[in-house]
Amino acid sequence: MTLSTISSPRPFAYPQPASALHCGEVSLEALAKLHGTPLYVYSADQILERLTLFQQAFANRDHLVCYSIKVNSALAIVKLLTSRGAGVDIVSGGELERVLAAAPEAVGRVVFSGVGKTAAEIDLALTAGILQFNVESAAELELLATRAAKLRKKARFALRVNPDVFAETHPYISTGLREHKFGVDIRQALAIYKSAAGNRWLEAYGVSFHIGSQIRAAEPFGAAMERVSKLLRQLQRAGIALQTVDVGGGLGIDYHAGSFDAAAKVREYAAAVESALGAFEGRLLLEPGRFLVAQAGALLARVLYVKRNGRKTFVITDAAMNDLIRPALYQAYHEIVPVRPRERKPRIVDVVGPICESGDFFAHDRKLPPVEPGDLVAILDAGAYGMAQSSNYNTRLRPAEVLVEGAQTRLIRRRETIADLLAPEVF
Ligand code: LLP
């Protein structure tokens, strides 16, 4: 592995040819020694850089970047982003509790999406005073009206419409087609807005959509925005003037690195959204997740064994699919690099975890410099949907998490203990 294989814009690099991989100014070897492995390491600097890219790309328009907290819900990261003006996109009462814990002052910048909000979750959000409910069905709007009347709190809502736009991505994370469970058919939206008009507890505040995740091209966002703009014009003719348009998240990154230019990507995305949005004078809401945090994070693991079965070589690490499920669930590619590269020729290996499933792998038939038991490897681009989708499968303790800020590091979540795990159980 040569130094050039870790391409920018990742915050992980080998400062000198013979040195260990660093996150910014901090050595991952030192972090592993201090906190053990598996360990999630995030660069605060890169997370803030990415937020700034978004904020700059939309600087000419009234806008709010609402970080999609499901992507990485670490309280420290929520606090970091909201401290720079970000709002938050939530999909559960639990995520709202995270905002209330980490950044209560940001609650007025929260948008609440999700197809299955319960009455209790709606009550929590109404009481907290969030910015807007992204309502995904006529039945949910009815429930929202009932709860709002009960609590005597006016509910600002946006209908989440399904623009029926195809976006090239993994089928599990595509959401903008009529056959998906999300949102309401855009052709029914006008009627639903009209039906809410007479209700004093509902305020038709915005319109929202989200067509999927890990979408690399800008066109589908533009195409969806076109359709929603048409709806906006219809609404205006009907005397319904909305204050927000929420374009959801979904902008993808390049997991294969190459020559990925993050700033150009955001600008291209902004141009597509802007040109289709036209003269709308309200506030644009954006819900990026992956783009802000994926490349800022790595999962650091230690090699336990290297074993040969016939023609195959397996590198068995102390991290597993319970720590990072993306390869198993979406056949996702994550680049893997040794923390201290060895001089010899690369080998073709499978990188796997200790869990009792063949789906427990990080890479199949991957060219990797030789590693030995005790070596550290970094699984890159793991800041998004990594820890957030982790589990305790095989009664494994979830990793600790560290945030690197310049030369400083902060443990933002300690490693779980067996006591944590067993506490809720009765026998
Ligand atoms: N807004 C809504 C309503 C969403 O459902 C999502 C993601 C986002 C925003 C953020 O999307 P992003 O900017 O991160 O693409 N676990 C999968 C991805 C699931 C996406 C779920 N919704 C993965 O690891 O690829």
Side-chain angles (χ1 to χ4, degrees), residues 68 70-71 89 113 160 173 210 212-214 248-251 287-291 326 330 385 389:
S68 190
K70 68 168 76 69
V71 176
D89 157 50
S113 314
R160 173 167 171 184
I173 56 178
H210 170 78
S213 192
Q214 182 53 10
L251 184 59
E287 302 175 359
R290 186 191 314 265
F291 201 88
R326 300 196 69 260
Y330 317 109
Y385 305 108
Q389 288 189 266

Side-chain angles (χ1 to χ4, degrees), residues 37 301-306 315-319 353-354 372-375 396:
T37 52
R302 203 172 280 284
V303 176
L304 297 175
Y305 302 98
V306 178
V315 172
I316 303 166
T317 68
D318 64 357
E372 289 172 14
D375 285 2
R396 289 170 51 87

Side-chain angles (χ1 to χ4, degrees), residues 150-308:
K150 177 103 183 154
L151 297 175
R152 310 191 68 74
K153 300 233 183 247
K154 196 157 184 161
R156 286 177 292 270
F157 79 90
L159 270 195
R160 173 167 171 184
V161 297
N162 192 322
D164 198 31
V165 162
F166 175 73
E168 181 81 52
T169 185
H170 190 279
Y172 288 6
I173 56 178
S174 169
T175 52
L177 284 177
R178 209 167 287 144
E179 70 206 51
H180 295 133
K181 68 179 176 182
F182 300 97
V184 298
D185 188 329
I186 193 161
R187 297 168 304 183
Q188 289 162 10
L190 181 61
I192 300 176
Y193 278 107
K194 281 183 177 163
S195 75
N199 191 312
R200 60 180 286 224
W201 298 108
L202 293 179
E203 179 182 354
Y205 192 68
V207 60
S208 78
F209 63 92
H210 170 78
I211 56 174
S213 192
Q214 182 53 10
I215 298 167
R216 308 259 315 279
E219 295 79 37
F221 297 106
M225 190 68 253
E226 293 274 4
R227 294 187 183 184
V228 172
S229 293
K230 199 168 140 209
L231 172 64
L232 279 173
R233 290 193 293 274
Q234 288 169 351
L235 286 164
Q236 209 150 31
R237 283 198 293 275
I240 300 167
L242 300 180
Q243 323 227 6
T244 64
V245 171
D246 181 342
V247 298
L251 184 59
I253 60 149
D254 191 343
Y255 283 94
H256 294 264
S259 56
F260 182 63
D261 180 345
K265 236 355 190 193
V266 181
R267 281 197 300 269
E268 197 189 313
Y269 168 78
V273 170
E274 286 283 351
S275 77
L277 185 55
F280 176 72
E281 282 187 350
R283 177 171 250 209
L284 183 66
L285 306 180
L286 304 129
E287 302 175 359
R290 186 191 314 265
F291 201 88
L292 300 184
V293 297
Q295 297 195 291
L299 175 58
L300 191 56
R302 203 172 280 284
V303 176
L304 297 175
Y305 302 98
V306 178
K307 97 173 185 183
R308 250 156 240 115

